[in-house]
Amino acid sequence: MKFTISQKDLADTLNLVSYAVPNKPHHPILNNILLVADKHEQEILMTAFDLSLGIRVQCKSRIELEGKIALPAKLFTQVISSLPKQDITLEIVDNAAIITHSCGKCRIQTVSPQEFPSLPEIEGKNIILPAIKLLQALEATLFAASHDENKQVLAGVHFQFTNSSWEAAATDGHRLAVVSGTIETDEQLTENAQIEADSNTVEVTIPQPTLIELQKILGSVGDNSECTINIDNGIAVFTLPNIQITTRLLEGDYPKYSSLIPQQFQHQFIVDRKLFDNALKRVGIVADQKNKIVKITCDYQHQQATLSTESSDIGGAVESLNIKPQDGYQQQLVMGFNIKYMEQALKFLPTNEVLIHINQTTTPVVITPVDGILNQLILVMPVQLIGNNSTAMEEDTSDDEEVIVTENISSVTEVNEEINVAAKGGNTEEDVKEKNNLMNTDSSRQKNTANTKTNSQTSANSTSKPKGRKKKVAAA
């Protein structure tokens, strides 16, 4: 093998391919990048594959001798990135890659390419999406996917494709992000034929790590590029100009998230996204660092929303901003939210204003962009505020006042149970109890004795505490 290539082109290609090089490979060969020189096409094919994610990139080059070789990914990338930005020549001599540049030479030992695993070849349904739309879909959903790989299908984004539309959704059990769009086709179908084609829905769940790397690559291609998606036999292949990403799909049935989304709303108001986000950040500084709860009071009569938070150890804060009610509701509406979830929802909505849809203080709240390009929504579960949840800026009404903050999920119990089952891989309550009984048989007597002592100490200590303001926090 012998070829000449621009240092910049080779370095850029290696950076793309390196996304698929594993940090802890199952086999030493996966630490390498496969190079294939094609004299007929005058291009180099570079491939990295960790057995779950594979990336192949085509790069134009002047090929003198064809060949195939594998090189250590990290070493090869470091060497090429350090070279002068001029043409370089790579030649294989006695199982070593000789890299010649304007200032000298470098030699790297090669690895037999026969050991390198082949990327799976599939022939499935073809879906073509503009790269810019796919990028926006990932930006709108990836943040809501679970970062816990043990949650299986929740650690990815779920896609649904029909002949004329697509939808992507992600949830970690606390929030839900959904985005959808249309697929343009050249075929002119009758109404009946269109309905039949749309009924053939393809559903797949793609791992979050794969989509994070795909998001980086999509950001580097042109806005006018298209992405072809092939799906078959548990594999998905994303094909972009000169780039191919291959990934295994997550197994399991994704929760029926559509039943979480209310179809009608009693209250709606528009708010400036940046002003709302900045207010959340300011009150979040002095919020309870463990629970990060904000109380939002919507005064429809005065078209104002008041954000307040309190921490017995730090302090409290109050912020106000204007809202635009979209209905005739005149009373105050008080709700509680996890600040982190609300901030992330606002961060990934691309418009200046957002529309907030509310039914009751304990039911899911839906946030949508105003005049957005895509059909996008983010669902956030409120937390239930029980008692007089006054802020630090207000006077205390009672020394014995109790404030209980708990996330209310009663309205979506069935869906959340389904989400939990999917996350646990189908383990039943009986299975968990049986495992716990087996693990705790020998130590149950010791634990009971220890618990008795602990309870006695706790009871004794509680009698000596002075009366004052109490705060109880119960996690959902």
Side-chain angles (χ1 to χ4, degrees):
M1 176 193 291
K2 184 177 182 180
F3 62 88
T4 302
I5 190 173
S6 162
Q7 183 273 344
K8 182 180 183 306
D9 290 345
L10 183 56
D12 291 344
T13 302
L14 287 172
N15 287 333
L16 288 175
V17 173
S18 296
Y19 291 148
V21 177
N23 293 324
K24 296 180 179 179
H26 299 292
H27 192 280
I29 190 63
L30 303 180
N31 270 326
N32 296 271
I33 291 177
L34 181 68
L35 278 72
V36 179
D38 189 335
K39 188 173 182 180
H40 178 71
E41 298 291 340
Q42 287 294 297
E43 65 182 14
I44 299 292
L45 293 178
M46 297 189 195
T47 305
F49 188 28
D50 66 1
L51 300 183
S52 178
L53 169 66
I55 299 178
R56 174 178 292 165
V57 182
Q58 302 172 358
C59 185
K60 287 295 181 182
S61 177
R62 297 192 298 274
I63 310 296
E64 295 183 34
L65 294 173
E66 290 187 343
K68 179 190 297 185
I69 201 65
L71 289 168
K74 185 176 181 180
L75 177 61
F76 188 37
T77 302
Q78 288 178 339
V79 168
I80 297 302
S81 62
S82 68
L83 298 181
K85 291 180 171 54
Q86 298 176 1
D87 286 352
I88 60 177
T89 299
L90 188 149
E91 183 179 10
I92 303 301
V93 179
D94 296 333
N95 295 324
I98 309 299
I99 303 169
T100 305
H101 53 95
S102 59
C103 301
K105 293 183 178 182
C106 179
R107 182 172 64 87
I108 301 176
Q109 286 298 124
T110 64
V111 180
S112 173
Q114 280 71 30
E115 299 180 19
F116 199 88
S118 300
L119 292 178
E121 301 290 338
I122 66 171
E123 294 181 2
K125 180 178 176 63
N126 288 347
I127 299 117
I128 300 177
L129 286 179
I132 186 66
K133 282 191 176 182
L134 183 56
L135 177 60
Q136 291 174 345
L138 297 182
E139 291 173 345
T141 55
L142 266 175
F143 75 95
S146 175
H147 295 276
D148 186 356
E149 293 183 358
N150 294 325
K151 289 191 174 181
Q152 299 187 10
V153 292
L154 297 189
V157 176
H158 187 70
F159 285 85
Q160 297 183 44
F161 299 102
T162 69
N163 188 62
S164 60
S165 65
W166 59 271
E167 182 174 281
T171 179
D172 60 1
H174 300 284
R175 63 267 176 93
L176 167 69
V178 182
V179 62
S180 60
T182 58
I183 298 175
E184 298 180 0
T185 58
D186 296 331
E187 300 178 2
Q188 298 296 324
L189 301 177
T190 64
E191 183 177 352
N192 291 336
Q194 185 69 47
I195 294 175
E196 183 179 353
D198 287 346
S199 64
N200 297 324
T201 303
V202 176
E203 298 190 36
V204 294
T205 306
I206 300 173
Q208 187 185 51
T210 295
L211 295 179
I212 291 174
E213 305 307 334
L214 177 61
Q215 184 180 16
K216 297 174 185 177
I217 293 172
L218 287 170
S220 66
V221 302
D223 292 343
N224 297 324
S225 301
E226 289 186 333
C227 180
T228 302
I229 307 171
N230 300 83
I231 301 168
D232 186 32
N233 197 27
I235 301 291
V237 178
F238 298 84
T239 304
L240 292 156
N242 301 322
I243 304 172
Q244 177 182 303
I245 301 101
T246 302
T247 180
R248 298 189 184 278
L249 303 176
L250 293 177
E251 298 180 355
D253 295 329
Y254 204 79
K256 303 299 182 183
Y257 58 85
S258 58
S259 58
L260 268 174
I261 306 170
Q263 300 303 310
Q264 295 181 345
F265 299 93
Q266 299 177 16
H267 319 296
Q268 300 179 7
F269 64 86
I270 293 175
V271 64
D272 185 284
R273 183 181 65 85
K274 289 185 178 179
L275 292 179
F276 193 13
D277 185 47
N278 291 335
L280 284 170
K281 284 180 169 61
R282 287 192 291 268
V283 300
I285 296 173
V286 293
D288 186 286
Q289 297 304 302
K290 182 178 179 180
N291 296 287
K292 282 282 190 179
I293 302 299
V294 61
K295 171 184 170 184
I296 301 178
T297 303
C298 299
D299 187 343
Y300 282 78
Q301 185 176 0
H302 296 92
Q303 299 188 5
Q304 191 176 62
T306 301
L307 285 67
S308 57
T309 187
E310 177 187 12
S311 171
S312 58
D313 299 330
I314 302 175
V318 174
E319 292 271 346
S320 296
L321 64 157
N322 295 328
I323 61 174
K324 302 175 186 176
Q326 303 297 296
D327 52 72
Y329 191 71
Q330 293 297 315
Q331 300 179 14
Q332 286 190 350
L333 189 67
V334 181
M335 304 188 73
F337 291 96
N338 183 299
I339 294 177
K340 181 183 73 171
Y341 295 152
M342 186 61 74
E343 281 183 347
Q344 288 188 343
L346 296 174
K347 178 181 178 180
F348 293 99
L349 290 167
T351 56
N352 294 327
E353 294 182 321
V354 295
L355 180 60
I356 298 181
H357 311 258
I358 304 171
N359 277 321
Q360 298 177 7
T361 58
T362 58
T363 57
V365 172
V366 173
I367 308 173
T368 59
V370 176
D371 299 326
I373 298 175
L374 294 174
N375 298 322
Q376 181 182 359
L377 69 85
I378 297 174
L379 182 148
V380 180
M381 289 301 304
V383 296
Q384 186 178 14
L385 303 175
I386 301 177
N388 183 18
N389 188 29
S390 58
T391 68
M393 301 302 178
E394 300 171 347
E395 295 183 359
D396 292 341
T397 58
S398 171
D399 290 338
D400 293 328
E401 175 189 11
E402 292 189 356
V403 180
I404 302 176
V405 180
T406 177
E407 187 168 354
N408 188 297
I409 56 174
S410 60
S411 61
V412 289
T413 301
E414 294 181 359
V415 176
N416 279 343
E417 286 179 356
E418 186 177 358
I419 289 176
N420 290 333
V421 169
K424 294 177 182 178
N427 287 338
T428 64
E429 185 176 356
E430 288 75 14
D431 293 336
V432 176
K433 288 182 178 179
E434 184 178 353
K435 290 180 181 179
N436 289 339
N437 290 336
L438 291 174
M439 294 172 63
N440 298 331
T441 299
D442 295 334
S443 58
S444 60
R445 184 175 301 174
Q446 295 177 3
K447 288 186 177 180
N448 289 334
T449 303
N451 288 337
T452 302
K453 292 180 180 179
T454 302
N455 291 335
S456 299
Q457 292 174 359
T458 303
S459 177
N461 292 336
S462 63
T463 59
S464 62
K465 290 184 179 179
K467 291 185 178 180
R469 180 183 179 87
K470 294 184 292 181
K471 181 174 180 180
K472 296 181 180 179
V473 179

